[in-house]
Amino acid sequence: EADIYQTPRYLVIGTGKKITLECSQTMGHDKMYWYQQDPGMELHLIHYSYGVNSTEKGDLSSESTVSRIRTEHFPLTLESARPSHTSQYLCASSETGGSYNEQFFGPGTRLTVL
Amino acid sequence: AQRVTQPEKLLSVFKGAPVELKCNYSYSGSPELFWYVQYSRQRLQLLLRHISRESIKGFTADLNKGETSFHLKKPFAQEEDSAMYYCALQYYGGATNKLIFGTGTLLAVQP
């Protein structure tokens, strides 16, 4: 079944740890996105990719990094987690082509850094 | 710079009452606007887009370029409409189109 998967769903981790948030999609989409959302606030685009080996920073500056080695996989990494990274992270994907494309969202990862 | 504003964090109405969720935008280009919805324990999903001029689950939204608004309306609210609603503006940056979201409005429909 075509879907977007994010793991873990919840993560509580100590300061200084390296973490990777996983995002995979079986939608066959070329474009993928990472958003960060603090409680009660809007979603902010932090990274996007329009295909394999292409990654760009989004509108909100983030200390995280991403990679796109496979079409279906778009992991986000924090080399050294800090309490300021505590947030919800949403992954999304969309088709290529057309004047507008619906973005499909994963269930999100809620990260807490102690 | 592009911006989406949803002035109400919470809108509480009774079942059967009309609903209007406000959204205003600023964008120098030709806007493409969307409403996304997130029901409890579910994912964020597209509700409707202005270019389709469609009605989804009884909701409609009309783009008013003069007032730079894209308010979401429903004549008679249902309890199952209770959810978080986000207005979003699509713009073109870099090699792809991007979305800017508002802060969202929590709609609570009371029985």
Side-chain angles (χ1 to χ4, degrees):
Chain A
E1 181 181 340
D3 205 351
I4 301 178
Y5 305 91
Q6 287 188 247
T7 58
R9 293 293 309 280
Y10 303 91
L11 179 61
V12 180
I13 201 162
T15 297
K17 300 290 186 182
K18 178 180 178 179
I19 59 170
T20 296
L21 307 185
E22 300 288 349
C23 175
S24 295
Q25 52 98 359
T26 55
M27 313 282 284
H29 291 162
D30 286 327
K31 297 180 183 177
M32 296 187 74
Y33 312 82
W34 275 104
Y35 292 88
Q36 182 175 342
Q37 184 182 28
D38 294 329
M41 303 296 287
E42 61 266 58
L43 286 76
H44 288 288
L45 180 68
I46 53 174
H47 298 284
Y48 66 96
S49 166
Y50 40 86
V52 171
N53 293 327
S54 88
T55 61
E56 299 286 344
K57 289 192 177 295
D59 303 320
L60 179 69
S61 176
S62 173
E63 294 169 347
S64 59
T65 59
V66 292
S67 63
R68 190 89 183 275
I69 299 172
R70 302 198 321 262
T71 301
E72 62 273 16
H73 195 211
F74 192 40
L76 181 145
T77 299
L78 278 164
E79 290 293 332
S80 180
R82 294 207 303 268
S84 60
H85 297 139
T86 294
S87 191
Q88 173 160 261
Y89 294 84
L90 292 173
C91 181
S93 70
S94 69
E95 293 181 355
T96 299
S99 60
Y100 63 93
N101 302 105
E102 177 182 352
Q103 291 190 18
F104 293 85
F105 285 82
T109 294
R110 194 169 294 278
L111 172 66
T112 302
V113 184
L114 303 175
Chain B
Q2 47 276 355
R3 186 178 179 85
V4 175
T5 302
Q6 293 181 252
E8 304 143 325
K9 281 200 174 293
L10 171 66
L11 181 63
S12 182
V13 301
F14 286 103
K15 177 182 174 181
V19 170
E20 182 178 53
L21 301 172
K22 290 182 167 49
C23 172
N24 289 90
Y25 67 91
S26 63
Y27 182 51
S28 57
S30 183
E32 294 175 7
L33 288 147
F34 306 81
W35 277 99
Y36 278 78
V37 61
Q38 187 167 26
Y39 300 101
S40 179
R41 298 187 182 86
Q42 294 188 27
R43 304 180 189 191
L44 192 62
Q45 59 187 286
L46 178 67
L47 178 63
L48 56 79
R49 65 196 89 192
H50 92 269
I51 200 166
S52 300
R53 305 183 67 83
E54 57 200 346
S55 173
I56 302 293
K57 298 184 179 182
F59 284 98
T60 58
D62 291 320
L63 177 60
N64 186 322
K65 292 186 179 181
E67 296 182 358
T68 60
S69 68
F70 187 57
H71 303 327
L72 183 68
K73 300 177 183 179
K74 185 170 183 177
F76 308 102
Q78 304 298 316
E79 289 181 66
E80 55 265 30
D81 295 330
S82 295
M84 194 74 177
Y85 291 81
Y86 294 92
C87 183
L89 167 73
Q90 179 171 268
Y91 71 100
Y92 296 92
T96 190
N97 48 343
K98 303 177 189 177
L99 284 176
I100 283 185
F101 287 85
T103 51
T105 298
L106 179 63
L107 175 63
V109 181
Q110 311 295 334

